[in-house]
Amino acid sequence: MFLDTRAQPEPYAALQDEVRRELSRGGRDERDFAMLATVSTRITAADDPLARSADRPICTGTADQVIAGLARFAEAGYSHVVCFFECPSGDLDELAEEVERVGQDVLPATKAIPVKGGWKTDL
C-alpha cells in the first residue's frame, strides 16, 4: 500500500520477494495471492500544472499519464491497484466526474496492460 502520494513501485521489489518466501514457507502458491497497491489518482487536463510537474504523483495527470503510472505498477509486479480518488473541492459532483472519467478514459486501456510477477490477477 502506498500512502505516500509520491511513492514509486520499484523500490518495494524486495518486499514482494519476502512475501513469496513466506507463502512458500506456508505451502501457498503465489498465483493464489494478489499483490495490491493503493495509490492516489486524479485526472487533469493536459495544461494543468500538475500534469506538467516533474514531481507529480505517479497516477495523477492526464488519462494517458495515469495509464502509464498503472502500467509501471503492473511492470513492478502489482496485480491489483486500488485508486484513491483525489477530490480537491470535496464536492460529490467532482468526485462522481472523476470516477466517470477513470471508467471511460483509463479502465478500458488497463485491460491490455500485462502484469508481471505471477500474482493472482482475478479477484
Side-chain angles (χ1 to χ4, degrees):
M1 193 180 306
F2 295 91
L3 299 178
D4 176 358
T5 60
R6 302 275 193 271
Q8 306 296 312
E10 295 84 6
Y12 298 94
L15 294 176
Q16 289 187 37
D17 293 337
E18 184 63 29
V19 170
R20 282 186 178 90
R21 284 190 290 277
E22 288 300 315
L23 288 169
S24 179
R25 273 195 278 269
R28 293 184 61 195
D29 190 325
E30 65 193 42
R31 291 173 296 190
D32 294 329
F33 190 87
M35 186 55 62
L36 174 77
T38 301
V39 298
S40 294
T41 302
R42 181 169 173 227
I43 296 180
T44 67
D47 62 350
D48 187 293
L50 190 57
R52 292 181 280 140
S53 172
D55 188 35
R56 69 178 171 75
I58 189 172
C59 288
T60 298
T62 66
D64 287 341
Q65 288 173 312
V66 172
I67 293 165
L70 292 170
R72 278 187 56 199
F73 277 94
E75 175 72 23
Y78 290 88
S79 57
H80 290 85
V81 177
V82 176
C83 294
F84 175 82
F85 295 107
E86 295 288 327
C87 182
S89 71
D91 182 74
L92 189 55
D93 289 336
E94 180 186 14
L95 179 59
E97 182 180 314
E98 183 74 13
V99 170
E100 186 175 320
R101 288 182 70 194
V102 168
Q104 290 177 355
D105 301 337
V106 174
L107 285 182
T110 63
K111 293 178 182 184
I113 297 173
V115 178
K116 294 194 175 177
W119 304 104
K120 182 177 183 170
T121 58
D122 62 324
L123 288 181

